[in-house]
Amino acid sequence: MKRRSLSALRLTSALRAPRKVPRGAAGGPGDGAADTTAAPDASGAAVERLRAENAWLRRALAGRPVIDQARGILMATAECTAEQAWYILRQTSQHANRKVREVAGEVVADATGTVPPGPVRTHLREAVRRHRAARREAS
């Protein structure tokens, strides 16, 4: 027999259990509806949670190409690995208090001729300088 967690069992049983609908209400007996059971509240919350997660994943996927381009630019200009370029982007994001995809967009814009805003430019230069200093010390 397959082992399942307690929360999975609760959700499964909540999805199977019919909910009583008052007589005369939409979907209740006497309104001509074929099915007299309505979806339980637990499944509605689960559906909303899944919709929110889906929206979050779509936003994450939309920002991914820009982040990858910025990593490539940093790898070429700062002579670093993909992991180090990610670290530089993340560090700049944290110090400038901006999202990683925003910082990445500004790195890409800078490579195409548009200058990023002052705080991002300053923090990005500092992160690259720290990376180069660490590389020199390791050599």
Side-chain angles (χ1 to χ4, degrees):
M1 184 168 115
K2 216 160 91 172
R3 296 183 74 172
R4 293 171 30 179
S5 70
L6 183 59
S7 61
L9 289 173
R10 285 183 188 145
L11 180 60
T12 305
S13 63
L15 291 174
R16 288 187 195 147
R19 192 179 78 181
K20 294 182 181 178
V21 179
R23 189 174 282 282
D31 73 344
D35 187 13
T36 60
T37 60
D41 292 333
S43 68
V47 167
E48 286 306 312
R49 188 175 64 251
L50 289 173
R51 282 186 179 145
E53 182 180 358
N54 189 11
W56 180 84
L57 288 171
R58 286 183 188 276
R59 284 191 304 273
L61 281 174
R64 195 70 200 170
V66 174
I67 293 171
D68 289 339
Q69 286 176 341
R71 285 174 68 183
I73 291 167
L74 286 172
M75 289 167 61
T77 58
E79 299 173 2
C80 61
T81 65
E83 186 177 314
Q84 291 167 336
W86 171 250
Y87 180 76
I88 290 170
L89 281 173
R90 196 180 77 216
Q91 194 175 34
T92 303
S93 167
Q94 290 172 351
H95 288 287
N97 199 22
R98 306 278 301 272
K99 294 190 179 292
V100 171
R101 76 172 168 266
E102 292 174 4
V103 172
E106 291 164 1
V107 169
V108 171
D110 184 38
T112 60
T114 307
V115 179
V120 172
R121 186 175 53 241
T122 304
H123 291 297
L124 186 61
R125 284 183 188 155
E126 184 62 27
V128 170
R129 186 194 61 73
R130 281 192 298 268
H131 164 71
R132 288 182 177 156
R135 195 178 65 207
R136 276 192 301 267
E137 287 178 10
S139 296

